[in-house]
Amino acid sequence: MRTGRTLEVGAVTTMAGALVLSLAVGEEQTMGNLARILFVHVPAAWLAYLAFVITLLGSALYLIRKDLRWDRLAASSAEVGVFFTALTIALGMIWGKPTWGVWWTWDARLVLTAILLFVYLGYLALRRSIPDRVSRARRSAWLGMVAVVQIPIVHFSVLWWRTLHQPPTVLRPGEMQMDPPFRAALFASLFAFTVVYAALLRRRIEVAQLDDLAEEAAASAERRVAGAAVTAPGVPETAPPADTGEARHRPGAAPFLAASTLVAGALVTASQSSSLSPWGWVAYAFGATYASMAVYAIWLAARQCSRAGVAG
Amino acid sequence: MRRYRWFVVPALGVVMVILGFLVFTLKDALVYFRTPTEVAESAAEGRVRLGGQVVPGTIEESPGGVAFDVTDGTTTLTVAHTGAPQQLFRAGIGVVVEGTWDGAVFHSDHMMVKHDEQYRTEDGGTYHPGGYPTGDSG
């Protein structure tokens, strides 16, 4: 618990520091203030990558060790990764409208990122569809290992194909084409977002542990009822547990919620006005980032509290 | 549960084949825009996207739009754009325009501004839109 608290305080502090730096640097030559949006868009994309690589590691370790803790790591990281992928797309749209002139276009990078989101939503859906914990863990581990091939494809799409999206500035061969003040702000943001990821992941793993405990309790209660039925048929000695259905593993509605809120927000703004000032766009992007992170964190904490109640 | 393995191997195979197909066969179809050289070499056809750098000193306001030259360093084409130019439109910037090529002028009705991977402070280094927009540069 102490480590978790430290992580969460650290996440808020580093985010505040990154925000100050992101707003303090000067304007970019071409984009002016709009360049600040990249200090949240790029870290969100980095964490989508990192989260799905952690899912790969958790999946592989589960298949080797057959320990459900690695499955919980893989599943939790995938959910947090879906959150960051949705955030990346939303922030990219908020940047794209004033810079390119369009919210969305069928460019290879954009389409592949959308596919990445849907494949990992499929991963979360697969987990919901398998009731047995062990076969759920095994099957989703295979998917978690196969799906990660998308990461290099998404990342290098801008080099392999001619796209509207610019090529990478940071994870690329050769010298970084970015002036030092922007680098400082970008790296501070990358660090801060990584701490946020760690804090969210930790929370999500705790929720997964409570889910597993509740599921185990429900399963053993079911066995007791079944055993009782064999020895004394027709005599319902113990009431069946009320929350058997409730104890089912429930991966996130939060990423869906966050993604749809952001997309809805983008669409509303699109219909209202496409002529915000550059600072208006920056405020929109940063506001969407902090709001969605807060919603996800609060939602995880709420789920943790309600689960802790169920598991006793 | 052993039979599940029989599913994994073909599934992996299918994924690899799809990936290979995407990377090698669809390479041209996944190209978002054509360069001035490619457009100039092609016969007049349907709607295409043309991408390049706006040549400084060629921007002229026209009634209901703007005209300018777009270059890839080898070939320069004249674009007649209908509609308001994008907010960030200026000399030297990358643009992608959508429309038709009649052999002499590219008639565009949709413009997008392309930002490259360089980020420069106002008093910082020089902005070099170098090598733009070959697309296969690293």
Side-chain angles (χ1 to χ4, degrees), chain A residues 19-189:
Chain A
L19 173 66
V20 170
L21 266 182
S22 302
L23 299 182
V25 294
E27 296 186 17
E28 204 268 337
Q29 272 184 19
T30 323
M31 281 190 281
N33 286 317
L34 291 172
R36 300 179 204 282
I37 296 174
L38 297 174
F39 302 139
V40 284
H41 172 71
V42 174
W46 148 247
L47 281 161
Y49 291 175
L50 180 69
F52 295 143
V53 170
I54 299 288
T55 296
L56 163 77
L57 291 180
S59 301
L61 281 169
Y62 172 75
L63 289 175
I64 296 166
R65 299 273 167 82
K66 301 289 179 200
D67 185 341
L68 280 173
R69 78 160 65 169
W70 299 117
D71 177 59
R72 289 194 288 266
L73 172 68
S76 304
S77 191
E79 189 186 290
V80 181
V82 163
F83 168 77
F84 278 110
T85 311
L87 185 63
T88 305
I89 294 176
L91 293 173
M93 290 170 83
I94 295 171
W95 177 82
K97 181 60 184 166
T99 312
W100 293 341
V102 289
W103 293 96
W104 177 266
T105 184
W106 298 100
D107 156 289
R109 167 58 82 77
L110 275 59
V111 172
L112 289 168
T113 310
I115 294 174
L116 180 74
L117 175 67
F118 288 122
V119 167
Y120 278 94
L121 282 174
Y123 173 94
L124 296 180
L126 176 75
R127 297 192 66 88
R128 290 185 70 126
S129 71
I130 307 172
D132 177 55
R133 269 195 302 168
V134 173
S135 72
R136 178 205 301 148
R138 194 179 56 243
R139 291 184 192 186
S140 42
W142 282 106
L143 180 55
M145 284 169 50
V146 173
V148 82
V149 300
Q150 295 178 98
I151 298 295
I153 299 177
V154 167
H155 186 71
F156 291 110
S157 59
V158 284
L159 299 177
W160 292 346
W161 300 296
R162 198 182 289 152
T163 54
L164 181 62
H165 193 288
Q166 60 268 48
T169 301
V170 182
L171 292 172
R172 60 174 256 148
E175 205 202 330
M176 215 172 136
Q177 300 288 304
M178 184 179 267
D179 278 348
F182 297 142
R183 284 189 211 192
L186 181 61
F187 280 102
S189 301

Side-chain angles (χ1 to χ4, degrees), chain B residues 11-82:
Chain B
L12 272 173
V14 169
V15 169
M16 299 304 274
V17 169
I18 293 174
L19 287 182
F21 181 71
L22 270 178
V23 173
F24 297 107
T25 316
L26 285 181
K27 194 164 169 41
D28 293 335
L30 280 166
V31 162
Y32 187 74
F33 59 86
R34 317 243 185 120
T35 62
T37 308
E38 286 165 357
V39 169
E41 281 169 0
S42 69
E45 46 181 311
R47 274 179 80 81
V48 288
R49 288 199 195 101
L50 167 71
Q53 196 186 319
V54 178
V55 181
T58 61
I59 303 174
E60 278 174 32
E61 302 241 349
S62 61
V66 61
F68 52 92
D69 286 0
V70 153
T71 186
D72 60 4
T74 313
T75 312
T76 302
L77 297 185
T78 301
V79 175
H81 177 74
T82 316

Side-chain angles (χ1 to χ4, degrees), chain A residues 1 4 201-211 304:
Chain A
M1 216 57 214
L201 179 68
R202 200 193 143 83
R203 268 289 166 164
R204 183 62 187 80
I205 289 174
E206 284 171 2
V207 171
Q209 282 168 342
L210 293 170
D211 279 344
Q304 201 175 3

Side-chain angles (χ1 to χ4, degrees), chain B residues 18 32 43 45 77 86 90 94 97 110 127:
Chain B
I18 293 174
Y32 187 74
E45 46 181 311
L77 297 185
Q86 286 300 331
R90 66 171 76 168
V97 287
H110 186 61
Y127 181 75

